[in-house]
Amino acid sequence: MKSVVTTVIAAADAAGRFPSSSDLESVQGSLQRAAARMEAAEKLSGNLDNVAKEAYDACISKYPYLNNAGEANSTDTFKAKCLRDVKHYMRLISYSLIVGGTGPLDEWGIAGQREVYRALNLPTGPYVAALSFARNRGCAPRDMSSQALTEYNALVDYVINSLS
């Protein structure tokens, strides 16, 4: 799993050198933000079901045609799968906050997602809408500190950009 530390070490090793001072500064910056990431991960994990459900509901409100017969959200099974996918992204964001890098998102959420959605004829716009809602709903200090919210939003944006 990729983290800032493993990425820096792997890059230096591939170049046949020890990590440089700028490499170590990036690791230090990551470690300094660790408390904010842990706070964001704790708040998200503690409220994951509610955040995912609100995001899913906002998505369906924006794209009501998905409930029409034959569409991606037309049966109870499809609805459960859509909510499951939103929860999956939120869980991977939580894992990435803990790791301090995008490794869990890259390996388990993003790799091949466009091909899967294209093969299943699933639109990515509703997922972007759900994640955008989850991002915009966050509020400091109501939900978490401003630094924790910054860390959370950066990862949500990362997923949104991968789906766009």
Side-chain angles (χ1 to χ4, degrees):
M1 189 171 314
K2 291 188 304 184
S3 71
V4 173
V5 176
T6 58
T7 302
V8 164
I9 292 171
D13 188 48
R17 62 175 174 76
F18 289 107
S20 67
S21 59
S22 64
D23 291 337
L24 297 175
E25 286 174 11
S26 71
V27 171
Q28 183 180 17
S30 177
L31 293 174
Q32 290 171 343
R33 294 187 321 273
R37 288 195 318 272
M38 292 302 112
E39 176 192 348
E42 179 183 5
K43 301 289 180 163
L44 177 58
S45 296
N47 204 20
L48 187 100
D49 289 335
N50 291 336
V51 171
K53 179 72 168 115
E54 286 179 14
Y56 166 80
D57 290 343
C59 159
I60 298 306
S61 294
K62 184 172 182 176
Y63 295 98
Y65 77 89
L66 292 172
N67 292 321
N68 295 343
E71 293 292 339
N73 202 53
S74 59
T75 67
D76 288 339
T77 301
F78 290 167
K79 290 175 184 182
K81 287 181 179 182
C82 288
L83 178 58
R84 177 204 62 200
D85 289 349
V86 173
K87 281 184 186 180
H88 179 68
Y89 283 119
M90 300 310 292
R91 191 173 297 109
L92 291 177
I93 288 168
S94 177
Y95 296 165
S96 293
L97 287 164
I98 293 166
V99 169
T102 60
L105 283 165
D106 293 335
E107 294 170 19
W108 300 324
I110 294 173
Q113 73 184 0
R114 287 186 155 202
E115 291 80 16
V116 169
Y117 292 153
R118 193 173 299 124
L120 296 175
N121 199 28
L122 294 173
T124 58
Y127 292 109
V128 170
L131 293 166
S132 295
F133 176 84
R135 182 198 192 286
N136 296 335
R137 186 199 174 283
C139 178
R142 179 193 70 199
D143 299 320
M144 58 186 81
S145 70
S146 60
Q147 183 61 38
L149 190 59
T150 299
E151 297 291 331
Y152 166 77
N153 286 342
L155 288 169
V156 174
D157 286 341
Y158 184 79
V159 178
I160 289 170
N161 289 336
S162 77
L163 289 167
S164 299

